[in-house]
Amino acid sequence: MNPLKEPQRGMTVIVKTIAKFVVPPIILFGIYIVLHGHLTPGGGFAGGVIVGSAFILLTLAFGKEVAFQKLKRSTASVLESVGALIFLSLALLGIAAGGWFFLNFLPKGHPLRILSAGFIPLANIGIGIKVGAGIFAVFLTLIVFRVSAKK
Amino acid sequence: MWQVYALAILMIVGSLVAVHTRYLLSAVISLAVVGLALCVAFLYLQAPDCAITQIVVEVLALIILIRATGVERDMSEIKNRKEIFAYEAIGIFIIAFAFFAFRALSYLPEFGHPVMKVSQEYIRKGLEQTGAANLVTSVLLDFRAYDTLGEATVLFTAILGAIVVLREVGRKKK
């Protein structure tokens, strides 16, 4: 069923139409901020929150059923843990490579290229997944709690 | 420099309004004024990393506070009874705080001109040691990665606590 044709869920048709056009660029911008974290201002935290806020916009505009179809709350919780484990395992891989905790064991590359700075882009990706999924999961938890508290 | 001081005064006024207003929604929006003024202040102080994170988290916190906690119809209950010696305690605290703050401020270096040797080492050798063009990221994820790990752990624990407290399983039926 088309969520645009369902006036009783979510907000008005104006908000839904604008949200439909705006959500993909927001997610793309968040991914850009995460991937270019070692080159331009921003990084994993800011980019992750931007991606999470795109899903929150989806939830507010279309109601939580549509957002649950895109990303379930359990999936968000799992993604948060996966992001944290990526960051922690990168730190532990420094020991495995024969160095110390948080050793930047990958080659540095040329500055200002996207494949540079060793493991910093990977750590940014891990933090971005963790923060975005965590923010969305806690938002969904609060929404569900409020809806079930009203009943 | 005066713009930052004006923003600081705006932030103080916003937080005072947030404390003293009757409606919770007005309090939440006054808190948002504080956060957005802080974001503009970060831009004036040439810290775009902080500004991006600040505005994103501020907007998100505003949305969560307004939408997810059902603040729009609630009214805070403020009792009119004053505590004993409240004004005397406030006066004594302000005088003591101003005294020690003035003593401490006279030892600080001039604003925006750090003389710390550690940070200059980072600025000189950050690019060649980490390969990251963004110096803030190279500090966050390489030189000071332990701090980032701690911050990620704090966020993880906070979200875990919120999900555990608000979960459906085990909630009492009314």
Side-chain angles (χ1 to χ4, degrees), chain A residues 11 33 36-43 45-47 49-50 52-53 56 60 73 77 80-81 84 87-88 91 101-102 104 108-112 116-121 123-124 127 130-131 133-135 137-139 141-146 148-150, chain B residues 47-50 52-53 56-57 60 63-64 66-73 127-142 144-160 162-168 171 174:
Chain A
M11 295 189 177
I33 290 258
H36 286 70
H38 55 301
L39 305 176
T40 53
F45 194 91
V49 178
I50 290 173
S53 69
I56 289 178
L60 289 178
R73 186 152 56 112
S77 303
E80 194 208 357
S81 309
F87 190 48
L88 203 58
F101 202 61
F102 275 120
N104 197 343
K108 303 289 185 292
H110 293 285
L112 295 172
S116 68
F119 82 138
I120 289 180
N124 262 332
I127 293 177
K130 185 199 130 35
V131 171
I135 294 276
V138 82
F139 179 74
T141 308
L142 287 168
I143 285 266
V144 169
F145 176 74
R146 184 188 166 202
S148 63
K150 256 192 203 166
Chain B
D49 292 85
C50 288
I52 289 176
T53 310
V56 170
V57 173
L60 210 59
I63 291 172
I64 287 180
I66 289 179
R67 268 311 281 229
T69 58
V71 93
E72 62 255 39
R73 278 174 300 277
L127 182 58
E128 72 177 82
Q129 285 193 349
T130 66
N134 184 0
L135 198 62
V136 176
T137 305
S138 75
V139 170
L140 273 181
L141 288 177
D142 200 304
R144 289 277 182 263
Y146 277 103
D147 291 345
T148 308
L149 183 63
E151 173 221 29
T153 312
V154 166
L155 191 65
F156 185 80
T157 318
I159 291 173
L160 193 71
I163 290 177
V164 165
V165 168
L166 300 179
R167 73 195 190 283
E168 293 97 359
R171 194 181 294 162
K174 280 176 187 168

